[in-house]
Amino acid sequence: MTSERTQVAIIGGGPAGMFLSHVLHRHGIDSIVLERRTKAHVLGRIRAGVLEAGTVDLLRDYDLAERMDREGKPKDGTRIVWQGRPDFFIDVRRWTGRQMMAWGQTYITEDLYAARERDGGAIVDEAGDVALHDVESGNPSVSYTRDGVSHRIACDFVAGCDGFHGVSRQAIPDHMRREFERVYPFGWLGIMVEKPPLKDLIYAYHSDGMAMASQRNPMLSRYYVQAPVTDRIEDWPDERFWDTLLSRFPTEIAGRIESGPSIEKSMAPLRSFVSEPLRYGRLLLAGDAAHIVPPTGAKGLNLAFSDVHYLSRALRTYYEKGASHDIERYSDQALRRIWAAENLSWRLTKMLHVFPDEDPFDQRIRESDYDLLLTSESAQQALAHEYVGLPFED
Ligand code: APR
Ligand code: PHB
């Protein structure tokens, strides 16, 4: 068994773990990232493509924004179209003075890997059997195997950034952990197509189900349709996908959508999930390891970045001032923003999707939610603030 030491052992090399490692490095705090999969696998995952204003600020603050500022598309908001009702624009620019950014989160992960490799960051890929030890003590450690060899890393803190299926969350004893969950009976079937996208990002409500138009770059579009979660990719040949998508948009918009052969197709189940607290002794959870949102609102990566913002600040206070108070309040502070995003994603999901067991009462409530948005400036303003992302707390 080999042994080494670092200040922060980070489990998981997704956006949360890699951003944490980058930020800590910028503040002179060293870390080792342990990732179970290969780098190629991590970078091959296709993720949502809208960034909150605060995420854009963080990327700029930490010199990760060059490609995004060159190739991403700033957006004033997102459109909702609704069968038989007027369109609505979530006018983030008007109500908050800020913009969002259409920029694929996969590109951010690529830029994070490039930055860490340029700075000589320690990233162990294909790390097997990762296990956490003594996180409730002052001397935690993490063990793993690679190529048949066992390794152990002694550290001051363990950052659990290993996503929903990771091991970190399980290191918090059951009686100390509380989980909150909603699962939805449908998923988002998404495709990528090499055709110019529509100018706007658009969510479409239709009595057959939701559809969405998004984008990655001037020659790459991303589209989704709500589909039963039990459907398989094989049930959705391209022709069926396009027929369904186009039937859910108003004719005028459908006429502008450029279809073509899909270059990627995947089904994402929808889930809302929060595990509290985010800290147990010297273990600190961030990102999908602690919470999942449905894709409606695209909050997943944005929340991971906001966790890392608070967490990295807490670790800086510890190393620079020798004070633990920010570590102690990390969980409560991050959870306020997490629950705000859970709330928005859940409300938007309920408003824009058709649920198999719903009745006419549910439908009238949905329509009245939308009508309130169409007519009430305070409702428009509130939604714009939530959609752009709440400000970070001091
Ligand atoms: N040991 C080491 N690594 C692990 C383990 C383990 N036992 N289990 C999981 N991992 C790795 C996964 O392989 C993955 O690369 O942890 C990483 C977790 O990454 P994500 O699942 O992407 O989670 P996170 O980094 O929190 O990303 C947050 O980014 O793209 C968005 O919407 C997406 O919500 C998601 C957000
Ligand atoms: C995407 O671009 O993939 C996307 C955009 C907005 C969402 C979800 C996904 O709400």
Side-chain angles (χ1 to χ4, degrees):
M1 154 117 44
T2 70
S3 326
E4 4 172 20
R5 192 180 157 80
T6 189
Q7 289 172 300
V8 184
I10 300 176
I11 306 178
M18 293 302 288
F19 185 50
L20 179 62
S21 167
H22 176 81
V23 172
L24 292 180
H25 171 74
R26 288 297 169 101
H27 295 289
I29 301 167
D30 59 71
S31 66
I32 299 176
V33 176
L34 297 178
E35 165 57 50
R36 180 169 60 175
R37 312 299 295 253
T38 62
K39 175 178 154 189
H41 178 92
V42 174
L43 297 184
R45 284 195 289 242
I46 302 208
R47 296 294 177 79
V50 184
L51 304 181
E52 294 180 348
T55 304
V56 170
D57 291 344
L58 287 173
L59 288 165
R60 290 187 181 139
D61 288 349
Y62 285 101
D63 298 327
L64 293 164
E66 199 208 330
R67 188 154 65 125
M68 175 193 76
D69 280 328
R70 205 173 53 233
E71 295 174 23
K73 282 271 168 285
K75 296 282 167 195
D76 291 344
T78 295
R79 191 164 297 284
I80 300 178
V81 298
W82 197 285
Q83 188 183 20
R85 280 180 153 71
D87 294 1
F88 174 71
F89 188 61
I90 308 175
D91 200 336
V92 158
R93 178 95 180 265
R94 172 172 179 205
W95 296 113
T96 73
R98 311 218 60 191
Q99 282 186 302
M100 304 187 69
M101 185 71 85
W103 180 235
Q105 299 176 359
T106 306
Y107 308 137
I108 297 178
T109 318
E110 282 171 10
D111 289 350
L112 280 166
Y113 270 84
R116 289 310 291 129
E117 283 164 8
R118 208 168 40 235
D119 292 341
I123 306 163
V124 180
D125 68 353
E126 297 184 81
D129 310 315
V130 171
L132 294 77
H133 309 278
D134 306 320
V135 289
E136 67 289 356
S137 79
N139 296 301
S141 64
V142 177
S143 59
Y144 66 99
T145 57
R146 194 174 197 283
D147 299 330
V149 181
S150 302
H151 304 265
R152 186 177 280 260
I153 304 172
C155 54
D156 300 327
F157 295 96
V158 178
C161 303
D162 47 354
F164 183 65
H165 300 288
V167 289
S168 302
R169 186 173 70 247
Q170 317 302 335
I172 305 180
D174 284 352
H175 70 277
M176 309 274 298
R177 185 156 39 95
R178 195 150 172 222
E179 296 186 349
F180 305 81
E181 187 168 52
R182 283 276 180 280
V183 287
Y184 304 85
F186 43 76
W188 277 25
L189 185 82
I191 67 162
M192 203 73 96
V193 56
E194 286 176 310
K195 291 284 179 184
L198 297 175
K199 188 170 69 54
D200 281 344
L201 305 180
I202 310 181
Y203 300 106
Y205 170 78
H206 187 281
S207 52
D208 291 342
M210 190 236 43
M212 174 173 198
S214 188
Q215 53 194 253
R216 291 295 177 268
N217 66 43
M219 265 312 288
L220 197 56
S221 308
R222 179 86 169 141
Y223 293 102
Y224 300 96
V225 295
Q226 171 188 349
V229 74
T230 43
D231 279 13
R232 294 160 311 142
I233 299 297
E234 303 77 73
D235 300 329
W236 285 88
D238 284 3
E239 201 185 337
R240 178 177 177 206
F241 181 90
W242 289 117
D243 286 349
T244 305
L245 182 91
L246 297 179
S247 71
R248 291 182 186 180
F249 276 97
T251 323
E252 181 273 319
I253 295 175
R256 286 190 281 118
I257 292 178
E258 294 198 37
S259 61
S262 62
I263 57 165
E264 192 268 352
K265 195 181 280 162
S266 51
M267 172 71 102
L270 266 63
R271 185 192 298 273
S272 299
F273 172 82
V274 181
S275 176
E276 297 181 356
L278 269 53
R279 181 177 76 88
Y280 172 62
R282 296 251 172 163
L283 167 64
L284 300 138
L285 302 180
D288 279 16
H291 46 77
I292 299 284
V293 281
T296 334
K299 294 292 179 200
L301 177 130
N302 294 292
L303 269 191
F305 270 48
S306 95
D307 290 353
V308 168
H309 168 71
Y310 290 131
L311 174 52
S312 57
R313 194 166 68 183
L315 291 167
R316 283 172 61 195
T317 307
Y318 177 86
Y319 286 111
E320 290 167 13
K321 304 197 180 117
S324 307
H325 54 84
D326 282 342
I327 304 248
E328 276 148 28
R329 70 182 182 135
Y330 165 64
S331 182
D332 288 345
Q333 192 166 47
L335 279 167
R336 280 191 284 276
R337 220 168 171 283
I338 290 163
W339 275 112
E342 291 285 346
N343 187 336
L344 173 73
S345 313
W346 173 74
R347 261 185 294 129
L348 277 183
T349 301
K350 274 199 315 177
M351 190 173 84
L352 292 168
H353 295 75
V354 177
F355 286 67
D357 58 352
E358 70 186 29
D359 62 18
F361 183 91
D362 297 303
Q363 177 60 13
R364 286 287 184 273
I365 293 287
R366 169 178 302 120
E367 290 165 359
S368 107
D369 280 340
Y370 188 65
D371 289 344
L372 185 70
L373 275 183
L374 291 174
T375 51
S376 156
E377 292 205 337
S378 6
Q380 293 164 14
Q381 191 166 4
L383 178 61
H385 275 94
E386 293 174 274
Y387 196 77
V388 79
L390 299 186
F392 297 125
E393 295 177 19
D394 288 334

